[in-house]
Amino acid sequence: MRIILLGPPGSGKGTQAQLLVQRYGIVQLSTGEMLRAAVAAGTPVGLKAKEIMASGALVPDEVVVGIISDRIDQPDARNGFILDGFPRTVPQAEALDELLKHKHLKLDAVIELRVNESALLNRVETRVAQMRERGEEVRLDDTPEVLTKRLANYRNQTEPLIHYYSERRKLSTIDGMMAIDEVTRAIHRQLLALGAVEPKTHAKSAAKAGPAKKAKASKTARKTAQKPAKTTKKPAKSAKKAAKTAVRGPKKTAKKAGKKAAGKTVKKATKKAAQKTAKKAVKKGARKAAKKVTKKRAKR
Ligand code: AMP
């Protein structure tokens, strides 16, 4: 799975990226983190980026595109990745499209975390205060002044990506103001709906779960249908039935089941009624016959 997390600084991209990493076993590729590591290591890229980052401006596109291209080629990114903080400009997005095409890789989704800007400043101030309390080092660009500049950069240079990806039908927007776990759940649901993650269910329960899982369910069922029978006597038939059910979807199946059940009930009721009538008739007949006999005896 390959996804992009889009959102202004402080929207929770980093937090969500880490949670997604744990959940799906993919890697987080954060250009901000990579640049900070380069600055700390004093590499040529780091030396170039240091001042720019401290001022809250953006590092040149070719620098970050080069970093990302190399990182995607690492073996640990083969299973999938989350791009956090990249792309940040339309030229970066275009460059990413090109390099993914070149590497024969597909982008599954772009998740935008939409947040209320005025709440962001509060969030960052709280985060900085908490980090100071814990004695942790605070980022140079985590001050309210630099954040204001980073937010302006986001609006001018990164927000056009919302249009870029929505035009390409890749964009999903999620309310980033919800609690952390709610945001994670919303992302997961979205990824499921897009078919970017595997629902770990078999055909039957997948069919119950709805249209997003239906395609997968039918695939599983089709596979089962192709498998040779092992234990049951009529496996091919039942597998076919499972495939049909999965393709048909939960609604129809439920309707059919309902109809069947109703039909059964009617049949049962009719049978019961007929039995009762028959019993009654027999009883009545017997009573009549008994009366006749009594009358005859009385006459005699
Ligand atoms: P972040 O940790 O994503 O907020 O990034 C911190 C800083 O690194 C940004 O303010 C930029 O100066 C720089 N940076 C990170 N990613 C990019 C990018 N994709 N393009 C340009 N500059 C970036």
Side-chain angles (χ1 to χ4, degrees), residues 39-143:
V39 170
T43 66
V45 166
L47 293 175
K48 214 173 173 179
K50 192 175 178 182
E51 294 296 310
I52 304 172
M53 288 173 76
S55 74
L58 291 186
V59 170
D61 289 340
E62 63 275 14
V63 173
V64 279
V65 170
I67 293 179
I68 281 292
S69 178
D70 291 345
R71 189 62 187 85
I72 288 175
D73 290 338
Q74 301 294 311
D76 64 346
R78 222 170 279 157
N79 200 27
F81 49 77
I82 302 163
L83 292 174
D84 159 20
F86 179 90
R88 252 180 163 96
T89 63
V90 171
Q92 286 182 20
E94 287 166 348
L96 176 67
D97 281 348
E98 265 310 301
L99 69 88
L100 287 180
K101 200 168 139 193
H102 187 71
K103 294 177 201 291
H104 304 289
L105 298 174
K106 187 183 145 266
L107 183 68
D108 293 293
V110 178
I111 308 279
E112 180 208 358
L113 298 182
R114 191 162 286 181
V115 287
N116 171 349
E117 263 201 25
S118 62
L120 285 183
L121 274 165
N122 288 338
R123 261 195 196 180
V124 171
E125 276 167 5
T126 313
R127 188 172 71 198
V128 169
Q130 285 170 345
M131 285 175 84
R132 287 213 171 102
E133 246 178 53
R134 290 195 296 262
E136 289 168 15
E137 208 179 311
V138 176
R139 274 166 54 175
L140 279 177
D141 57 355
D142 244 353
T143 63

Side-chain angles (χ1 to χ4, degrees), residues 110-114 162 166 170-176 186 190:
V110 178
I111 308 279
E112 180 208 358
L113 298 182
R114 191 162 286 181
I162 292 170
S166 102
K170 291 278 182 202
L171 190 80
S172 302
T173 300
I174 281 167
D175 177 9
Q190 197 55 39

